């Protein structure tokens, strides 16, 4: 998703606060949980609790955990030497000190740096001095922290067109880190992307994994998406109650009704609005604000 979370101080003022690994597992028991208690929308912490800690860092995951949020969203990309790292932009400039450390390497694309180089960057100071020294985690580090916290993961494959084969790489790492066992696949993992071909590739390589398409396909096209995905996850600005109903009227790739998780909703009024549309999940930088708004 593309909306940029604001630093914590500003938000506090405004919001109060590999083949073997690709062998399919046993038949799918249904997509991961997509609604909260008593039908309220599931609240998903966008890039971790990114209103309160630097996005996509382990600190953001831990902050979401301390706030009581089980589901976190993250973004995965690939380095020059093939390591998967958790970062949103395809440039490192906005959320690290890469311009100071490597001044002659503009535009500082993730894919132009090795994992070792990225590991030296400060990914916290831009957000606040107390976060100085936070690092861009590898996907392996991120998965281990989420698992240690007992959390669940909405994993976005970011800009797959830049990284041919990243779907297979992502599934390999997920498998090696234990995230493709029955327990994770059937309740703790969703893989999503803006790239329909990317999600189709994930579904073909691991048909048991729950998948989501980021976007708002035309209603007439929804049946074709339902063949390889379990969720249609649109921007809240594109959403109507009629569209949510049209999505949910269809069955997805695992024979369960298609789900809708919308992004990025950061205020109480917006949360109440999309909840009234009947969405299954709300992806937000301010999970506490949304939780309070939707009960």
């Amino acid at each position: 998703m593309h909306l940029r979370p604001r630093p914590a101080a500003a938000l506090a003022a405004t919001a109060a606060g590999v083949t073997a690994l690709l062998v399919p597992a046993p038949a799918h028991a249904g997509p991961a949980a997509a609604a909260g208690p008593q039908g309220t929308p599931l609240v998903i912490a966008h890039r971790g609790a990114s209103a309160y800690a630097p996005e996509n860092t382990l600190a953001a995951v831990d902050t979401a955990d301390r706030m009581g949020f089980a589901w976190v969203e993250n973004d995965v990309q690939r380095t020059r030497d093939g390591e998967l790292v958790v970062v949103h932009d395809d440039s490192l400039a906005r959320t690290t000190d890469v311009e100071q450390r490597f001044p002659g390497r503009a535009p500082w694309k993730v894919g132009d740096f090795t994992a070792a180089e990225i590991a030296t960057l400060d990914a916290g100071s831009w957000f606040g001095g107390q976060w100085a020294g936070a690092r861009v985690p590898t996907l392996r580090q991120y998965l281990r922290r989420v698992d240690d916290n007992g959390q669940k993961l909405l994993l976005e494959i970011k800009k797959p067109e830049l990284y041919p084969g990243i779907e297979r790489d992502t599934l390999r790492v997920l498998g090696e880190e234990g995230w493709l066992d029955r327990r994770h696949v059937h309740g703790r993992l969703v893989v999503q992307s803006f790239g329909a071909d990317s999600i189709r590739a994930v579904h073909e390589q691991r048909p048991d994994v729950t998948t989501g398409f980021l976007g708002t396909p035309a209603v007439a096209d929804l049946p074709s998406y339902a063949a390889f995905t379990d969720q249609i996850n649109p921007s809240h600005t594109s959403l109507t109650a009629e569209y949510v109903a049209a999505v949910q009227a269809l069955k997805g790739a695992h024979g369960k009704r298609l789900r809708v998780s919308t992004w990025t909703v950061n205020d109480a009024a917006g949360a109440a609005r999309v909840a009234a549309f009947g969405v299954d999940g709300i992806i937000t930088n301010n999970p506490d604000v949304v939780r309070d708004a939707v009960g």
Side-chain angles (χ1 to χ4, degrees):
M1 279 78 76
H2 300 293
L3 295 184
R4 296 182 180 179
R6 296 161 59 193
L11 278 160
T14 58
V18 174
T19 303
L21 292 172
L22 301 181
V23 175
H28 196 279
Q38 300 179 350
T40 60
L42 186 74
V43 180
I44 302 164
H46 185 226
R47 310 180 200 171
S50 56
Y52 307 107
E55 63 182 62
N56 276 325
T57 62
L58 301 184
V61 172
D62 291 343
T63 300
D65 183 48
R66 287 194 297 271
M67 296 171 74
F69 293 97
W71 280 90
V72 293
E73 185 264 0
N74 79 323
D75 307 284
V76 64
Q77 299 189 58
R78 192 169 63 204
T79 67
R80 188 177 74 192
D81 54 343
E83 185 75 59
L84 298 180
V85 292
V86 175
V87 62
H88 177 269
D89 299 2
D90 63 352
S91 170
L92 295 157
R94 178 175 64 87
T95 58
T96 78
D97 61 347
V98 69
E99 294 183 54
Q100 289 73 47
R101 291 192 54 81
F102 300 98
R105 294 175 63 178
W108 302 286
K109 296 291 188 180
V110 174
D112 291 338
F113 287 80
T114 66
E117 289 171 332
I118 291 174
T120 68
L121 301 177
D122 181 343
S125 291
W126 71 276
F127 196 82
Q130 69 270 40
W131 308 107
R135 302 301 177 191
V136 173
T138 65
L139 180 59
R140 293 181 188 278
Q141 291 168 335
Y142 198 95
L143 291 172
R144 291 170 187 174
R145 183 60 60 87
V146 173
D147 225 9
D148 287 347
N149 290 345
Q151 292 169 297
K152 306 174 184 184
L153 182 61
L154 175 58
L155 186 157
E156 179 182 346
I157 297 176
K158 180 62 65 176
K159 296 194 174 181
E161 66 276 7
L162 298 179
Y163 312 106
I166 192 173
E167 299 83 12
R168 183 175 291 272
D169 293 343
T170 300
L171 289 170
R172 183 187 72 249
V173 173
L174 285 167
E176 290 171 355
E177 294 299 323
W179 275 79
L180 293 183
D181 65 9
R182 186 178 183 87
R183 180 172 63 95
H184 288 80
V185 165
H186 290 177
R188 296 184 61 191
L189 176 67
V190 179
V191 179
Q192 66 175 0
S193 181
F194 284 98
D197 288 342
S198 185
I199 290 307
R200 188 182 290 107
V202 170
H203 178 68
E204 290 173 352
Q205 293 173 38
R206 281 295 302 221
D208 54 329
V209 170
T210 299
T211 57
F213 175 72
L214 283 162
T216 314
V219 170
D221 295 333
L222 288 173
S224 64
Y225 285 84
F228 59 85
T229 195
D230 305 284
Q231 301 180 7
I232 300 294
N233 297 339
S235 165
H236 74 97
T237 61
S238 67
L239 213 55
T240 65
E242 292 74 19
Y243 188 81
V244 173
V247 173
Q248 293 173 342
L250 298 173
K251 290 184 177 181
H254 293 109
K256 306 293 183 179
R257 73 165 177 83
L258 280 176
R259 312 280 181 157
V260 177
S261 289
T262 189
W263 50 273
T264 303
V265 182
N266 292 325
D267 62 273
R273 171 179 166 270
V274 299
F277 291 164
V279 300
D280 300 287
I282 301 174
I283 303 168
T284 173
N285 302 334
N286 297 281
D288 53 339
V289 173
V290 171
R291 176 177 58 192
D292 292 346
V294 301

